[in-house]
């Protein structure tokens, strides 16, 4: 039997999807009624952009992002000279014994460009010989605005997973640095994010 869902008093037989804009709902909430003879399930999805950045933290995981120069020294992301090559290291720490299939995403700020579209392996940079990276993740992909890597925790050892890539400061200016994140692809409530930061490239502004 066809469901009879009334939205704001109007029934539209056969319709399956309704969408509402935030400003419209602020002015007048939507009213949904089931006018059929049987119970009906409705799925509500919400999308939008946060007005305040999400704070660092998470559930079952912690994630950290650091930048180093090619001599292995920590660098301040708010004072990077133009044309500087940097190694970006993203580290995920497991806070529980439940292994997952993880998607790690590092979002790249404007002013920074990936210098070599591949992950840095342990020992690739002598000055970072202490860095123990995941050499063979299931998936690694580089884009203009982010890099993504997937890893199955059951196939790697240790509670700490590190990934690194090379980038270059290309455009002077001050930029927002979106958070890096990790998420269990099959249990999305198990996730973590870093803080939203600032990234500043020093040099003459054209």
């Amino acid at each position: 039997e066809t469901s009879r869902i009334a939205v704001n008093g109007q029934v539209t037989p056969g319709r399956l999807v309704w969408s509402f804009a935030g400003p419209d709902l602020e002015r007048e909430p939507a009213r949904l009624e089931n006018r059929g003879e049987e119970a009906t399930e409705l799925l509500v999805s919400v999308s939008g952009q946060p007005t305040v950045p999400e704070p660092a933290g998470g559930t079952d995981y912690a994630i950290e992002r650091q930048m180093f120069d090619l001599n292995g020294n920590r660098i301040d992301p708010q004072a990077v000279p133009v044309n500087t090559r940097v190694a970006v290291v993203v580290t995920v720490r497991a806070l529980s014994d439940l292994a997952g299939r993880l998607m790690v995403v590092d979002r790249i700020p404007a002013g920074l460009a990936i210098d070599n579209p591949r992950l840095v392996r342990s020992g690739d940079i002598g000055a970072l010989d202490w860095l123990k990276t995941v050499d063979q993740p299931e998936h690694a992909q580089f884009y203009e605005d982010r890099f993504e890597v997937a890893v199955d925790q059951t196939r790697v050892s240790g509670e700490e997973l590190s990934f690194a890539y090379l980038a270059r400061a290309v455009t002077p200016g001050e930029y927002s640095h979106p958070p890096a994140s990790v998420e269990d692809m099959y249990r999305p409530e198990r996730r973590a994010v870093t803080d939203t930061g600032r990234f500043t490239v020093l040099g003459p502004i054209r």
Side-chain angles (χ1 to χ4, degrees):
E1 182 180 338
T2 302
S3 299
R4 290 179 53 82
I5 302 299
V7 178
N8 294 330
Q10 182 177 358
V11 177
T12 308
R15 185 171 179 176
L16 299 176
V17 177
W18 294 263
S19 61
F20 308 95
D24 294 339
L25 293 177
E26 289 182 354
R27 287 192 297 270
E28 183 178 357
R31 189 177 74 256
L32 281 74
E33 304 169 79
N34 180 7
R35 295 185 179 178
E37 296 181 357
E38 298 182 1
T40 299
E41 293 185 355
L42 298 179
L43 174 65
V44 178
S45 299
V46 179
S47 64
Q49 296 293 330
T51 57
V52 178
E54 182 179 5
T59 301
D60 287 351
Y61 295 97
I63 184 169
E64 181 183 29
R65 176 175 56 206
Q66 297 175 307
M67 288 188 179
F68 298 85
D69 64 21
L70 300 193
N71 292 319
N73 302 308
R74 280 283 303 272
I75 63 174
D76 180 359
Q78 298 192 53
V80 182
V82 68
N83 289 325
T84 299
R85 294 181 74 202
V86 301
V88 183
V89 178
V90 177
T91 301
V92 174
R93 295 182 181 87
L95 305 180
S96 79
D97 294 330
L98 180 61
R101 296 181 63 89
L102 306 181
M103 176 64 75
V104 180
V105 180
D106 188 24
R107 295 163 181 85
I108 299 167
L112 187 70
I114 291 176
D115 195 52
N116 189 348
R118 71 175 182 86
L119 290 174
V120 173
R121 298 190 179 193
S122 300
D124 277 358
I125 303 175
L128 298 178
D129 56 1
W130 51 267
L131 180 63
K132 303 301 181 185
T133 57
V134 176
D135 286 339
Q136 294 182 328
E138 278 66 40
H139 163 85
Q141 188 71 48
F142 292 86
Y143 301 93
E144 289 187 359
D145 63 341
R146 69 193 186 280
F147 106 89
E148 298 177 349
V149 60
V151 62
D152 184 347
Q153 279 186 285
T154 64
R155 297 184 180 183
V156 295
S157 59
E159 297 178 351
E160 188 172 288
L161 308 173
S162 291
F163 310 91
Y165 61 92
L166 297 179
R168 186 185 297 271
V170 294
T171 308
E174 184 177 348
Y175 309 99
S176 175
H177 197 166
S181 64
V182 58
E183 181 178 296
D184 185 332
M185 290 183 280
Y186 297 102
R187 302 178 185 89
E189 69 278 3
R190 304 178 69 224
R191 59 186 300 272
V193 296
T194 67
D195 272 322
T196 297
R198 303 296 299 176
F199 182 73
T200 302
V201 180
L202 305 177
I205 299 177
R206 299 186 180 94

mmCIF file of all heavy atoms in Angstrom, residues 29-72:
data_model
loop_
_atom_site.group_PDB
_atom_site.id
_atom_site.type_symbol
_atom_site.label_atom_id
_atom_site.label_comp_id
_atom_site.label_asym_id
_atom_site.label_seq_id
_atom_site.Cartn_x
_atom_site.Cartn_y
_atom_site.Cartn_z
ATOM 1 N N PRO A 29 8.816 25.530 11.391
ATOM 2 C CA PRO A 29 9.181 24.109 11.380
ATOM 3 C C PRO A 29 8.275 23.312 10.449
ATOM 4 O O PRO A 29 7.092 23.638 10.268
ATOM 5 C CB PRO A 29 8.985 23.677 12.840
ATOM 6 C CG PRO A 29 9.059 24.951 13.628
ATOM 7 C CD PRO A 29 8.489 26.012 12.748
ATOM 8 N N ALA A 30 8.829 22.279 9.815
ATOM 9 C CA ALA A 30 8.036 21.402 8.946
ATOM 10 C C ALA A 30 7.198 20.462 9.804
ATOM 11 O O ALA A 30 7.644 19.994 10.852
ATOM 12 C CB ALA A 30 8.956 20.598 8.035
ATOM 13 N N ARG A 31 5.993 20.180 9.365
ATOM 14 C CA ARG A 31 5.073 19.300 10.088
ATOM 15 C C ARG A 31 4.797 18.070 9.214
ATOM 16 O O ARG A 31 4.268 18.202 8.107
ATOM 17 C CB ARG A 31 3.760 20.023 10.391
ATOM 18 C CG ARG A 31 2.831 19.237 11.327
ATOM 19 C CD ARG A 31 1.587 20.003 11.657
ATOM 20 N NE ARG A 31 0.653 20.049 10.542
ATOM 21 C CZ ARG A 31 0.460 21.112 9.756
ATOM 22 N NH1 ARG A 31 1.129 22.228 9.965
ATOM 23 N NH2 ARG A 31 -0.424 21.075 8.768
ATOM 24 N N LEU A 32 5.173 16.905 9.706
ATOM 25 C CA LEU A 32 4.982 15.670 8.954
ATOM 26 C C LEU A 32 3.949 14.805 9.666
ATOM 27 O O LEU A 32 4.006 14.639 10.882
ATOM 28 C CB LEU A 32 6.298 14.893 8.828
ATOM 29 C CG LEU A 32 7.285 15.389 7.759
ATOM 30 C CD1 LEU A 32 7.958 16.679 8.193
ATOM 31 C CD2 LEU A 32 8.325 14.326 7.453
ATOM 32 N N GLU A 33 3.008 14.255 8.894
ATOM 33 C CA GLU A 33 1.958 13.404 9.448
ATOM 34 C C GLU A 33 1.830 12.143 8.598
ATOM 35 O O GLU A 33 1.946 12.199 7.371
ATOM 36 C CB GLU A 33 0.611 14.117 9.436
ATOM 37 C CG GLU A 33 0.566 15.453 10.161
ATOM 38 C CD GLU A 33 -0.732 16.182 9.858
ATOM 39 O OE1 GLU A 33 -1.758 15.825 10.468
ATOM 40 O OE2 GLU A 33 -0.729 17.069 8.993
ATOM 41 N N ASN A 34 1.596 11.027 9.256
ATOM 42 C CA ASN A 34 1.311 9.783 8.563
ATOM 43 C C ASN A 34 -0.202 9.611 8.486
ATOM 44 O O ASN A 34 -0.858 9.351 9.491
ATOM 45 C CB ASN A 34 1.948 8.605 9.309
ATOM 46 C CG ASN A 34 1.680 7.282 8.604
ATOM 47 O OD1 ASN A 34 1.130 7.244 7.510
ATOM 48 N ND2 ASN A 34 2.070 6.186 9.253
ATOM 49 N N ARG A 35 -0.740 9.770 7.283
ATOM 50 C CA ARG A 35 -2.182 9.636 7.099
ATOM 51 C C ARG A 35 -2.564 8.285 6.508
ATOM 52 O O ARG A 35 -3.706 8.076 6.100
ATOM 53 C CB ARG A 35 -2.697 10.761 6.205
ATOM 54 C CG ARG A 35 -2.541 12.136 6.857
ATOM 55 C CD ARG A 35 -3.167 13.226 6.024
ATOM 56 N NE ARG A 35 -3.039 14.541 6.677
ATOM 57 C CZ ARG A 35 -3.467 15.677 6.145
ATOM 58 N NH1 ARG A 35 -4.040 15.676 4.929
ATOM 59 N NH2 ARG A 35 -3.313 16.819 6.785
ATOM 60 N N GLY A 36 -1.586 7.375 6.464
ATOM 61 C CA GLY A 36 -1.878 6.024 6.005
ATOM 62 C C GLY A 36 -2.374 5.162 7.143
ATOM 63 O O GLY A 36 -2.476 5.598 8.294
ATOM 64 N N GLU A 37 -2.658 3.902 6.828
ATOM 65 C CA GLU A 37 -3.214 2.988 7.817
ATOM 66 C C GLU A 37 -2.119 2.200 8.548
ATOM 67 O O GLU A 37 -2.411 1.556 9.557
ATOM 68 C CB GLU A 37 -4.182 2.014 7.142
ATOM 69 C CG GLU A 37 -5.412 2.714 6.542
ATOM 70 C CD GLU A 37 -6.358 1.725 5.893
ATOM 71 O OE1 GLU A 37 -6.017 0.516 5.870
ATOM 72 O OE2 GLU A 37 -7.425 2.148 5.416
ATOM 73 N N GLU A 38 -0.872 2.225 8.030
ATOM 74 C CA GLU A 38 0.201 1.470 8.650
ATOM 75 C C GLU A 38 1.356 2.387 9.010
ATOM 76 O O GLU A 38 1.511 3.472 8.444
ATOM 77 C CB GLU A 38 0.696 0.366 7.700
ATOM 78 C CG GLU A 38 -0.367 -0.662 7.352
ATOM 79 C CD GLU A 38 0.178 -1.754 6.452
ATOM 80 O OE1 GLU A 38 1.391 -1.684 6.127
ATOM 81 O OE2 GLU A 38 -0.585 -2.648 6.088
ATOM 82 N N ALA A 39 2.143 1.921 9.982
ATOM 83 C CA ALA A 39 3.313 2.700 10.394
ATOM 84 C C ALA A 39 4.315 2.800 9.239
ATOM 85 O O ALA A 39 4.443 1.880 8.425
ATOM 86 C CB ALA A 39 3.978 2.049 11.605
ATOM 87 N N THR A 40 4.988 3.925 9.155
ATOM 88 C CA THR A 40 5.954 4.179 8.095
ATOM 89 C C THR A 40 7.231 4.742 8.704
ATOM 90 O O THR A 40 7.173 5.610 9.579
ATOM 91 C CB THR A 40 5.395 5.187 7.059
ATOM 92 O OG1 THR A 40 4.222 4.632 6.470
ATOM 93 C CG2 THR A 40 6.417 5.479 5.966
ATOM 94 N N GLU A 41 8.362 4.230 8.250
ATOM 95 C CA GLU A 41 9.647 4.741 8.722
ATOM 96 C C GLU A 41 10.133 5.849 7.800
ATOM 97 O O GLU A 41 10.046 5.740 6.571
ATOM 98 C CB GLU A 41 10.692 3.625 8.774
ATOM 99 C CG GLU A 41 10.399 2.570 9.828
ATOM 100 C CD GLU A 41 11.524 1.551 9.941
ATOM 101 O OE1 GLU A 41 12.464 1.629 9.122
ATOM 102 O OE2 GLU A 41 11.462 0.698 10.832
ATOM 103 N N LEU A 42 10.680 6.917 8.401
ATOM 104 C CA LEU A 42 11.265 8.020 7.644
ATOM 105 C C LEU A 42 12.721 8.181 8.056
ATOM 106 O O LEU A 42 13.056 8.050 9.231
ATOM 107 C CB LEU A 42 10.507 9.319 7.899
ATOM 108 C CG LEU A 42 9.030 9.364 7.478
ATOM 109 C CD1 LEU A 42 8.426 10.714 7.836
ATOM 110 C CD2 LEU A 42 8.887 9.093 5.989
ATOM 111 N N LEU A 43 13.567 8.460 7.093
ATOM 112 C CA LEU A 43 14.982 8.717 7.343
ATOM 113 C C LEU A 43 15.241 10.208 7.212
ATOM 114 O O LEU A 43 14.889 10.826 6.207
ATOM 115 C CB LEU A 43 15.853 7.946 6.341
ATOM 116 C CG LEU A 43 17.356 8.230 6.395
ATOM 117 C CD1 LEU A 43 17.936 7.765 7.727
ATOM 118 C CD2 LEU A 43 18.063 7.562 5.226
ATOM 119 N N VAL A 44 15.855 10.790 8.248
ATOM 120 C CA VAL A 44 16.167 12.214 8.242
ATOM 121 C C VAL A 44 17.679 12.382 8.125
ATOM 122 O O VAL A 44 18.441 11.819 8.924
ATOM 123 C CB VAL A 44 15.665 12.905 9.526
ATOM 124 C CG1 VAL A 44 16.050 14.377 9.509
ATOM 125 C CG2 VAL A 44 14.164 12.743 9.656
ATOM 126 N N SER A 45 18.126 13.118 7.124
ATOM 127 C CA SER A 45 19.542 13.421 6.936
ATOM 128 C C SER A 45 19.748 14.926 7.037
ATOM 129 O O SER A 45 18.917 15.700 6.564
ATOM 130 C CB SER A 45 20.030 12.934 5.562
ATOM 131 O OG SER A 45 19.891 11.535 5.447
ATOM 132 N N VAL A 46 20.851 15.308 7.676
ATOM 133 C CA VAL A 46 21.157 16.725 7.866
ATOM 134 C C VAL A 46 22.538 16.994 7.298
ATOM 135 O O VAL A 46 23.489 16.238 7.537
ATOM 136 C CB VAL A 46 21.133 17.106 9.366
ATOM 137 C CG1 VAL A 46 21.477 18.580 9.546
ATOM 138 C CG2 VAL A 46 19.764 16.799 9.965
ATOM 139 N N SER A 47 22.676 18.059 6.533
ATOM 140 C CA SER A 47 23.980 18.442 5.988
ATOM 141 C C SER A 47 24.174 19.933 6.180
ATOM 142 O O SER A 47 23.212 20.700 6.265
ATOM 143 C CB SER A 47 24.082 18.079 4.499
ATOM 144 O OG SER A 47 23.142 18.812 3.741
ATOM 145 N N GLY A 48 25.440 20.339 6.259
ATOM 146 C CA GLY A 48 25.729 21.759 6.423
ATOM 147 C C GLY A 48 27.177 21.966 6.805
ATOM 148 O O GLY A 48 27.955 21.020 6.932
ATOM 149 N N GLN A 49 27.546 23.217 6.970
ATOM 150 C CA GLN A 49 28.890 23.584 7.368
ATOM 151 C C GLN A 49 28.863 24.101 8.799
ATOM 152 O O GLN A 49 28.006 24.914 9.153
ATOM 153 C CB GLN A 49 29.440 24.684 6.439
ATOM 154 C CG GLN A 49 29.609 24.250 4.997
ATOM 155 C CD GLN A 49 30.693 23.215 4.835
ATOM 156 O OE1 GLN A 49 31.651 23.182 5.591
ATOM 157 N NE2 GLN A 49 30.554 22.350 3.842
ATOM 158 N N PRO A 50 29.805 23.641 9.651
ATOM 159 C CA PRO A 50 29.815 24.125 11.039
ATOM 160 C C PRO A 50 30.201 25.594 11.096
ATOM 161 O O PRO A 50 31.043 26.067 10.323
ATOM 162 C CB PRO A 50 30.879 23.245 11.714
ATOM 163 C CG PRO A 50 31.759 22.797 10.587
ATOM 164 C CD PRO A 50 30.864 22.659 9.388
ATOM 165 N N THR A 51 29.581 26.333 12.004
ATOM 166 C CA THR A 51 29.934 27.744 12.192
ATOM 167 C C THR A 51 31.150 27.896 13.080
ATOM 168 O O THR A 51 31.842 28.910 13.029
ATOM 169 C CB THR A 51 28.748 28.514 12.805
ATOM 170 O OG1 THR A 51 28.374 27.880 14.044
ATOM 171 C CG2 THR A 51 27.551 28.502 11.863
ATOM 172 N N VAL A 52 31.430 26.878 13.906
ATOM 173 C CA VAL A 52 32.600 26.871 14.784
ATOM 174 C C VAL A 52 33.369 25.586 14.515
ATOM 175 O O VAL A 52 32.766 24.512 14.468
ATOM 176 C CB VAL A 52 32.193 26.943 16.269
ATOM 177 C CG1 VAL A 52 33.423 26.873 17.166
ATOM 178 C CG2 VAL A 52 31.409 28.215 16.551
ATOM 179 N N PRO A 53 34.693 25.641 14.292
ATOM 180 C CA PRO A 53 35.451 24.416 14.010
ATOM 181 C C PRO A 53 35.302 23.382 15.115
ATOM 182 O O PRO A 53 35.238 23.707 16.302
ATOM 183 C CB PRO A 53 36.903 24.908 13.922
ATOM 184 C CG PRO A 53 36.802 26.359 13.580
ATOM 185 C CD PRO A 53 35.554 26.844 14.260
ATOM 186 N N GLU A 54 35.232 22.114 14.707
ATOM 187 C CA GLU A 54 35.136 21.023 15.662
ATOM 188 C C GLU A 54 36.440 20.927 16.449
ATOM 189 O O GLU A 54 37.526 20.973 15.871
ATOM 190 C CB GLU A 54 34.884 19.719 14.909
ATOM 191 C CG GLU A 54 34.713 18.499 15.800
ATOM 192 C CD GLU A 54 34.447 17.240 14.993
ATOM 193 O OE1 GLU A 54 34.488 17.311 13.751
ATOM 194 O OE2 GLU A 54 34.207 16.186 15.608
ATOM 195 N N PRO A 55 36.379 20.805 17.763
ATOM 196 C CA PRO A 55 37.621 20.691 18.540
ATOM 197 C C PRO A 55 38.288 19.344 18.317
ATOM 198 O O PRO A 55 37.656 18.372 17.912
ATOM 199 C CB PRO A 55 37.145 20.844 19.986
ATOM 200 C CG PRO A 55 35.728 20.368 19.968
ATOM 201 C CD PRO A 55 35.183 20.779 18.624
ATOM 202 N N ALA A 56 39.593 19.291 18.590
ATOM 203 C CA ALA A 56 40.322 18.029 18.473
ATOM 204 C C ALA A 56 39.761 17.027 19.471
ATOM 205 O O ALA A 56 39.308 17.370 20.556
ATOM 206 C CB ALA A 56 41.806 18.253 18.726
ATOM 207 N N GLY A 57 39.806 15.746 19.095
ATOM 208 C CA GLY A 57 39.316 14.699 19.985
ATOM 209 C C GLY A 57 38.683 13.590 19.174
ATOM 210 O O GLY A 57 38.747 13.576 17.942
ATOM 211 N N GLY A 58 38.074 12.645 19.866
ATOM 212 C CA GLY A 58 37.433 11.558 19.159
ATOM 213 C C GLY A 58 37.100 10.398 20.066
ATOM 214 O O GLY A 58 37.183 10.491 21.289
ATOM 215 N N THR A 59 36.726 9.280 19.443
ATOM 216 C CA THR A 59 36.346 8.059 20.140
ATOM 217 C C THR A 59 37.167 6.900 19.602
ATOM 218 O O THR A 59 37.180 6.649 18.390
ATOM 219 C CB THR A 59 34.849 7.766 19.931
ATOM 220 O OG1 THR A 59 34.080 8.866 20.427
ATOM 221 C CG2 THR A 59 34.438 6.499 20.654
ATOM 222 N N ASP A 60 37.872 6.211 20.476
ATOM 223 C CA ASP A 60 38.675 5.022 20.174
ATOM 224 C C ASP A 60 39.971 5.322 19.424
ATOM 225 O O ASP A 60 40.804 4.426 19.247
ATOM 226 C CB ASP A 60 37.878 3.966 19.397
ATOM 227 C CG ASP A 60 36.853 3.261 20.272
ATOM 228 O OD1 ASP A 60 36.888 3.463 21.504
ATOM 229 O OD2 ASP A 60 36.012 2.517 19.729
ATOM 230 N N TYR A 61 40.142 6.569 18.951
ATOM 231 C CA TYR A 61 41.363 6.932 18.245
ATOM 232 C C TYR A 61 41.776 8.354 18.635
ATOM 233 O O TYR A 61 40.952 9.173 19.063
ATOM 234 C CB TYR A 61 41.176 6.869 16.720
ATOM 235 C CG TYR A 61 40.902 5.482 16.217
ATOM 236 C CD1 TYR A 61 39.593 5.050 15.985
ATOM 237 C CD2 TYR A 61 41.943 4.585 15.993
ATOM 238 C CE1 TYR A 61 39.337 3.764 15.540
ATOM 239 C CE2 TYR A 61 41.687 3.299 15.564
ATOM 240 C CZ TYR A 61 40.392 2.893 15.332
ATOM 241 O OH TYR A 61 40.136 1.622 14.911
ATOM 242 N N ALA A 62 43.059 8.622 18.463
ATOM 243 C CA ALA A 62 43.595 9.984 18.540
ATOM 244 C C ALA A 62 44.424 10.192 17.285
ATOM 245 O O ALA A 62 45.024 9.255 16.756
ATOM 246 C CB ALA A 62 44.462 10.165 19.791
ATOM 247 N N ILE A 63 44.449 11.424 16.774
ATOM 248 C CA ILE A 63 45.193 11.714 15.558
ATOM 249 C C ILE A 63 45.965 13.010 15.745
ATOM 250 O O ILE A 63 45.477 13.946 16.398
ATOM 251 C CB ILE A 63 44.249 11.785 14.329
ATOM 252 C CG1 ILE A 63 45.052 11.983 13.041
ATOM 253 C CG2 ILE A 63 43.194 12.858 14.497
ATOM 254 C CD1 ILE A 63 44.213 11.806 11.784
ATOM 255 N N GLU A 64 47.174 13.048 15.202
ATOM 256 C CA GLU A 64 48.049 14.199 15.347
ATOM 257 C C GLU A 64 48.712 14.494 14.001
ATOM 258 O O GLU A 64 49.041 13.568 13.249
ATOM 259 C CB GLU A 64 49.127 13.905 16.398
ATOM 260 C CG GLU A 64 50.100 15.042 16.652
ATOM 261 C CD GLU A 64 51.177 14.665 17.655
ATOM 262 O OE1 GLU A 64 51.516 13.452 17.732
ATOM 263 O OE2 GLU A 64 51.686 15.548 18.353
ATOM 264 N N ARG A 65 48.911 15.779 13.709
ATOM 265 C CA ARG A 65 49.593 16.191 12.478
ATOM 266 C C ARG A 65 50.772 17.076 12.853
ATOM 267 O O ARG A 65 50.621 18.029 13.626
ATOM 268 C CB ARG A 65 48.626 16.941 11.564
ATOM 269 C CG ARG A 65 49.261 17.496 10.295
ATOM 270 C CD ARG A 65 48.208 18.118 9.394
ATOM 271 N NE ARG A 65 47.456 19.153 10.083
ATOM 272 C CZ ARG A 65 46.205 19.517 9.761
ATOM 273 N NH1 ARG A 65 45.582 18.928 8.777
ATOM 274 N NH2 ARG A 65 45.580 20.469 10.431
ATOM 275 N N GLN A 66 51.940 16.777 12.292
ATOM 276 C CA GLN A 66 53.139 17.561 12.548
ATOM 277 C C GLN A 66 53.847 17.855 11.234
ATOM 278 O O GLN A 66 53.695 17.115 10.256
ATOM 279 C CB GLN A 66 54.096 16.805 13.483
ATOM 280 C CG GLN A 66 53.530 16.528 14.863
ATOM 281 C CD GLN A 66 54.480 15.676 15.692
ATOM 282 O OE1 GLN A 66 54.908 14.616 15.256
ATOM 283 N NE2 GLN A 66 54.815 16.146 16.874
ATOM 284 N N MET A 67 54.649 18.927 11.245
ATOM 285 C CA MET A 67 55.457 19.274 10.075
ATOM 286 C C MET A 67 56.923 19.326 10.468
ATOM 287 O O MET A 67 57.271 19.815 11.544
ATOM 288 C CB MET A 67 55.020 20.630 9.501
ATOM 289 C CG MET A 67 53.700 20.625 8.789
ATOM 290 S SD MET A 67 53.381 22.204 7.963
ATOM 291 C CE MET A 67 51.796 21.857 7.208
ATOM 292 N N PHE A 68 57.764 18.823 9.551
ATOM 293 C CA PHE A 68 59.211 18.809 9.764
ATOM 294 C C PHE A 68 59.899 19.364 8.521
ATOM 295 O O PHE A 68 59.373 19.241 7.399
ATOM 296 C CB PHE A 68 59.704 17.380 10.000
ATOM 297 C CG PHE A 68 59.130 16.722 11.215
ATOM 298 C CD1 PHE A 68 57.902 16.080 11.167
ATOM 299 C CD2 PHE A 68 59.821 16.740 12.419
ATOM 300 C CE1 PHE A 68 57.371 15.470 12.290
ATOM 301 C CE2 PHE A 68 59.290 16.132 13.554
ATOM 302 C CZ PHE A 68 58.066 15.495 13.491
ATOM 303 N N ASP A 69 61.074 19.959 8.729
ATOM 304 C CA ASP A 69 61.896 20.275 7.561
ATOM 305 C C ASP A 69 62.650 19.015 7.160
ATOM 306 O O ASP A 69 62.568 17.970 7.828
ATOM 307 C CB ASP A 69 62.821 21.464 7.831
ATOM 308 C CG ASP A 69 63.863 21.197 8.915
ATOM 309 O OD1 ASP A 69 64.167 20.020 9.193
ATOM 310 O OD2 ASP A 69 64.376 22.181 9.496
ATOM 311 N N LEU A 70 63.400 19.091 6.065
ATOM 312 C CA LEU A 70 64.060 17.886 5.571
ATOM 313 C C LEU A 70 65.304 17.536 6.372
ATOM 314 O O LEU A 70 65.961 16.532 6.082
ATOM 315 C CB LEU A 70 64.395 18.047 4.082
ATOM 316 C CG LEU A 70 63.182 18.276 3.168
ATOM 317 C CD1 LEU A 70 63.582 18.104 1.718
ATOM 318 C CD2 LEU A 70 62.011 17.380 3.529
ATOM 319 N N ASN A 71 65.600 18.348 7.400
ATOM 320 C CA ASN A 71 66.661 18.002 8.345
ATOM 321 C C ASN A 71 66.103 17.338 9.597
ATOM 322 O O ASN A 71 66.836 17.095 10.552
ATOM 323 C CB ASN A 71 67.459 19.254 8.736
ATOM 324 C CG ASN A 71 68.257 19.804 7.570
ATOM 325 O OD1 ASN A 71 68.847 19.042 6.803
ATOM 326 N ND2 ASN A 71 68.258 21.120 7.415
ATOM 327 N N GLY A 72 64.792 17.082 9.587
ATOM 328 C CA GLY A 72 64.183 16.383 10.707
ATOM 329 C C GLY A 72 63.769 17.256 11.863
ATOM 330 O O GLY A 72 63.402 16.744 12.924
#
